[in-house]
Amino acid sequence: MKSSLTLGKKHWQEMLDHILRNLPLEACGLLAGNNDRVEKVLLVRNQAQSPARFVMDPYEQLQAFEWIDSSGLELLGIFHSHPAGPETASVTDIAEAAYEVVHLIWSRNGNDWRARGFWIMKGRAADVTLQIVD
Ligand SMILES: [Zn+2]
């Protein structure tokens, strides 16, 4: 279990751009890095094409996993957006969490987006602190 994850402002913006481009649908992707520090954001298509649910496109997800392996990085996180809320992990997110990684969930208040980190295990979501650095 991790209690914090460090991301660059650049990574933050890459996720947000992807989320805005996909509105009103949920958007998703992967975060790769080492030692709890994100080095790369990998954007993945939401195969569900839904405003309330995401399913990573299996082919793009596999390609992303292969890229992460070949780059000597680890999968640190999975991010997705909740264009219509909630700001926490949903019942579905908790039920479907398949990887022991940080789950970043983006939600909005009007046009202001925020992200929160969660560690999901055994049917519970614990907060993970997100540290944003230059
Ligand atoms: Zn969700």
Short mmCIF file of all heavy atoms in Angstrom, two decimals, residues 30-33 39-43 59-75:
data_model
loop_
_atom_site.label_atom_id
_atom_site.label_comp_id
_atom_site.label_asym_id
_atom_site.label_seq_id
_atom_site.Cartn_x
_atom_site.Cartn_y
_atom_site.Cartn_z
N LEU A 30 -3.04 5.46 -17.77
CA LEU A 30 -2.12 4.82 -16.82
C LEU A 30 -0.99 5.78 -16.45
O LEU A 30 -0.63 6.67 -17.23
CB LEU A 30 -1.51 3.57 -17.47
CG LEU A 30 -2.51 2.52 -17.97
CD1 LEU A 30 -1.79 1.47 -18.80
CD2 LEU A 30 -3.23 1.89 -16.80
N LEU A 31 -0.43 5.57 -15.27
CA LEU A 31 0.72 6.35 -14.81
C LEU A 31 1.86 5.39 -14.53
O LEU A 31 1.70 4.41 -13.80
CB LEU A 31 0.37 7.09 -13.51
CG LEU A 31 -0.84 8.04 -13.60
CD1 LEU A 31 -1.17 8.59 -12.22
CD2 LEU A 31 -0.56 9.17 -14.58
N ALA A 32 3.01 5.68 -15.13
CA ALA A 32 4.17 4.81 -14.95
C ALA A 32 5.32 5.60 -14.37
O ALA A 32 5.43 6.81 -14.56
CB ALA A 32 4.58 4.21 -16.29
N GLY A 33 6.17 4.91 -13.61
CA GLY A 33 7.32 5.60 -13.03
C GLY A 33 8.11 4.64 -12.16
O GLY A 33 8.01 3.42 -12.31
N GLU A 39 6.70 9.17 -14.09
CA GLU A 39 7.58 9.66 -15.16
C GLU A 39 6.83 9.79 -16.48
O GLU A 39 7.30 10.46 -17.40
CB GLU A 39 8.76 8.69 -15.37
CG GLU A 39 9.62 8.45 -14.16
CD GLU A 39 10.47 9.66 -13.79
OE1 GLU A 39 10.58 10.60 -14.60
OE2 GLU A 39 11.00 9.66 -12.66
N LYS A 40 5.70 9.08 -16.58
CA LYS A 40 5.02 9.06 -17.87
C LYS A 40 3.52 8.83 -17.70
O LYS A 40 3.11 7.98 -16.91
CB LYS A 40 5.63 7.92 -18.70
CG LYS A 40 4.97 7.66 -20.02
CD LYS A 40 5.49 8.58 -21.11
CE LYS A 40 4.89 8.19 -22.47
NZ LYS A 40 5.24 9.21 -23.49
N VAL A 41 2.74 9.61 -18.44
CA VAL A 41 1.29 9.42 -18.50
C VAL A 41 0.97 8.72 -19.82
O VAL A 41 1.41 9.16 -20.87
CB VAL A 41 0.55 10.78 -18.46
CG1 VAL A 41 -0.95 10.59 -18.65
CG2 VAL A 41 0.84 11.50 -17.16
N LEU A 42 0.23 7.62 -19.75
CA LEU A 42 -0.17 6.90 -20.97
C LEU A 42 -1.68 7.00 -21.10
O LEU A 42 -2.41 6.54 -20.21
CB LEU A 42 0.29 5.44 -20.90
CG LEU A 42 1.80 5.28 -20.81
CD1 LEU A 42 2.20 4.73 -19.46
CD2 LEU A 42 2.33 4.38 -21.91
N LEU A 43 -2.13 7.61 -22.19
CA LEU A 43 -3.56 7.81 -22.39
C LEU A 43 -4.16 6.56 -23.02
O LEU A 43 -3.58 6.00 -23.94
CB LEU A 43 -3.79 9.02 -23.30
CG LEU A 43 -3.06 10.30 -22.88
CD1 LEU A 43 -3.31 11.41 -23.89
CD2 LEU A 43 -3.49 10.73 -21.48
N TYR A 59 -6.54 -3.49 -26.17
CA TYR A 59 -5.37 -3.43 -27.04
C TYR A 59 -4.45 -2.28 -26.63
O TYR A 59 -3.24 -2.44 -26.48
CB TYR A 59 -5.80 -3.30 -28.50
CG TYR A 59 -4.64 -3.19 -29.44
CD1 TYR A 59 -3.81 -4.30 -29.68
CD2 TYR A 59 -4.34 -1.99 -30.08
CE1 TYR A 59 -2.73 -4.21 -30.53
CE2 TYR A 59 -3.26 -1.90 -30.93
CZ TYR A 59 -2.45 -3.00 -31.16
OH TYR A 59 -1.37 -2.89 -31.99
N GLU A 60 -5.05 -1.11 -26.40
CA GLU A 60 -4.24 0.04 -25.99
C GLU A 60 -3.61 -0.19 -24.61
O GLU A 60 -2.49 0.24 -24.34
CB GLU A 60 -5.09 1.31 -25.96
CG GLU A 60 -5.45 1.78 -27.35
CD GLU A 60 -6.07 3.17 -27.36
OE1 GLU A 60 -6.02 3.88 -26.33
OE2 GLU A 60 -6.61 3.53 -28.39
N GLN A 61 -4.36 -0.87 -23.75
CA GLN A 61 -3.83 -1.15 -22.41
C GLN A 61 -2.63 -2.09 -22.51
O GLN A 61 -1.60 -1.87 -21.85
CB GLN A 61 -4.94 -1.79 -21.56
CG GLN A 61 -4.51 -1.98 -20.12
CD GLN A 61 -5.61 -2.60 -19.26
OE1 GLN A 61 -6.66 -3.02 -19.75
NE2 GLN A 61 -5.36 -2.65 -17.98
N LEU A 62 -2.75 -3.11 -23.35
CA LEU A 62 -1.63 -4.05 -23.53
C LEU A 62 -0.41 -3.33 -24.10
O LEU A 62 0.72 -3.53 -23.63
CB LEU A 62 -2.08 -5.18 -24.47
CG LEU A 62 -1.03 -6.26 -24.75
CD1 LEU A 62 -0.68 -7.00 -23.47
CD2 LEU A 62 -1.54 -7.23 -25.81
N GLN A 63 -0.64 -2.50 -25.10
CA GLN A 63 0.46 -1.72 -25.68
C GLN A 63 1.14 -0.86 -24.63
O GLN A 63 2.36 -0.74 -24.58
CB GLN A 63 -0.06 -0.81 -26.79
CG GLN A 63 -0.28 -1.50 -28.11
CD GLN A 63 -0.57 -0.48 -29.20
OE1 GLN A 63 -1.39 0.43 -28.99
NE2 GLN A 63 0.09 -0.60 -30.32
N ALA A 64 0.31 -0.24 -23.78
CA ALA A 64 0.86 0.62 -22.72
C ALA A 64 1.68 -0.21 -21.73
O ALA A 64 2.77 0.20 -21.33
CB ALA A 64 -0.28 1.35 -22.01
N PHE A 65 1.16 -1.38 -21.34
CA PHE A 65 1.90 -2.24 -20.41
C PHE A 65 3.24 -2.65 -21.02
O PHE A 65 4.26 -2.68 -20.34
CB PHE A 65 1.09 -3.50 -20.08
CG PHE A 65 0.00 -3.29 -19.04
CD1 PHE A 65 -0.90 -4.31 -18.76
CD2 PHE A 65 -0.13 -2.10 -18.35
CE1 PHE A 65 -1.90 -4.14 -17.80
CE2 PHE A 65 -1.13 -1.91 -17.40
CZ PHE A 65 -2.01 -2.95 -17.13
N GLU A 66 3.23 -2.97 -22.32
CA GLU A 66 4.48 -3.37 -22.98
C GLU A 66 5.47 -2.22 -23.01
O GLU A 66 6.66 -2.40 -22.80
CB GLU A 66 4.18 -3.88 -24.39
CG GLU A 66 3.58 -5.28 -24.34
CD GLU A 66 3.16 -5.82 -25.71
OE1 GLU A 66 3.28 -5.09 -26.72
OE2 GLU A 66 2.71 -6.97 -25.75
N TRP A 67 4.95 -1.02 -23.26
CA TRP A 67 5.83 0.16 -23.29
C TRP A 67 6.44 0.37 -21.90
O TRP A 67 7.64 0.65 -21.78
CB TRP A 67 5.05 1.41 -23.73
CG TRP A 67 5.95 2.59 -23.88
CD1 TRP A 67 6.61 2.99 -25.01
CD2 TRP A 67 6.34 3.51 -22.84
NE1 TRP A 67 7.38 4.09 -24.73
CE2 TRP A 67 7.24 4.43 -23.42
CE3 TRP A 67 6.01 3.62 -21.48
CZ2 TRP A 67 7.81 5.47 -22.68
CZ3 TRP A 67 6.60 4.66 -20.75
CH2 TRP A 67 7.48 5.56 -21.35
N ILE A 68 5.63 0.23 -20.87
CA ILE A 68 6.10 0.44 -19.49
C ILE A 68 7.22 -0.56 -19.17
O ILE A 68 8.28 -0.18 -18.65
CB ILE A 68 4.93 0.33 -18.49
CG1 ILE A 68 3.95 1.50 -18.67
CG2 ILE A 68 5.45 0.29 -17.05
CD1 ILE A 68 2.62 1.34 -17.94
N ASP A 69 6.98 -1.83 -19.51
CA ASP A 69 7.99 -2.88 -19.28
C ASP A 69 9.28 -2.58 -20.01
O ASP A 69 10.37 -2.65 -19.44
CB ASP A 69 7.47 -4.23 -19.80
CG ASP A 69 6.70 -4.97 -18.74
OD1 ASP A 69 6.72 -4.53 -17.57
OD2 ASP A 69 6.07 -5.99 -19.08
N SER A 70 9.14 -2.23 -21.30
CA SER A 70 10.34 -2.05 -22.12
C SER A 70 11.09 -0.79 -21.72
O SER A 70 12.26 -0.62 -22.06
CB SER A 70 9.98 -2.02 -23.61
OG SER A 70 9.24 -0.85 -23.87
N SER A 71 10.42 0.11 -20.98
CA SER A 71 11.08 1.35 -20.54
C SER A 71 11.68 1.21 -19.15
O SER A 71 12.23 2.18 -18.62
CB SER A 71 10.08 2.49 -20.54
OG SER A 71 9.49 2.62 -21.80
N GLY A 72 11.54 0.03 -18.55
CA GLY A 72 12.10 -0.17 -17.21
C GLY A 72 11.34 0.57 -16.13
O GLY A 72 11.88 0.85 -15.05
N LEU A 73 10.08 0.89 -16.40
CA LEU A 73 9.26 1.57 -15.40
C LEU A 73 8.26 0.58 -14.82
O LEU A 73 8.13 -0.54 -15.31
CB LEU A 73 8.52 2.75 -16.04
CG LEU A 73 9.39 3.83 -16.69
CD1 LEU A 73 8.53 4.87 -17.38
CD2 LEU A 73 10.29 4.49 -15.66
N GLU A 74 7.55 1.02 -13.77
CA GLU A 74 6.49 0.20 -13.21
C GLU A 74 5.16 0.93 -13.37
O GLU A 74 5.14 2.16 -13.41
CB GLU A 74 6.63 -0.02 -11.70
CG GLU A 74 7.96 -0.20 -11.12
CD GLU A 74 7.88 0.02 -9.60
OE1 GLU A 74 6.91 -0.45 -8.97
OE2 GLU A 74 8.78 0.66 -9.08
N LEU A 75 4.11 0.15 -13.35
CA LEU A 75 2.77 0.74 -13.31
C LEU A 75 2.55 1.26 -11.90
O LEU A 75 2.58 0.50 -10.93
CB LEU A 75 1.72 -0.32 -13.66
CG LEU A 75 0.28 0.15 -13.62
CD1 LEU A 75 0.02 1.20 -14.70
CD2 LEU A 75 -0.68 -1.02 -13.77
#
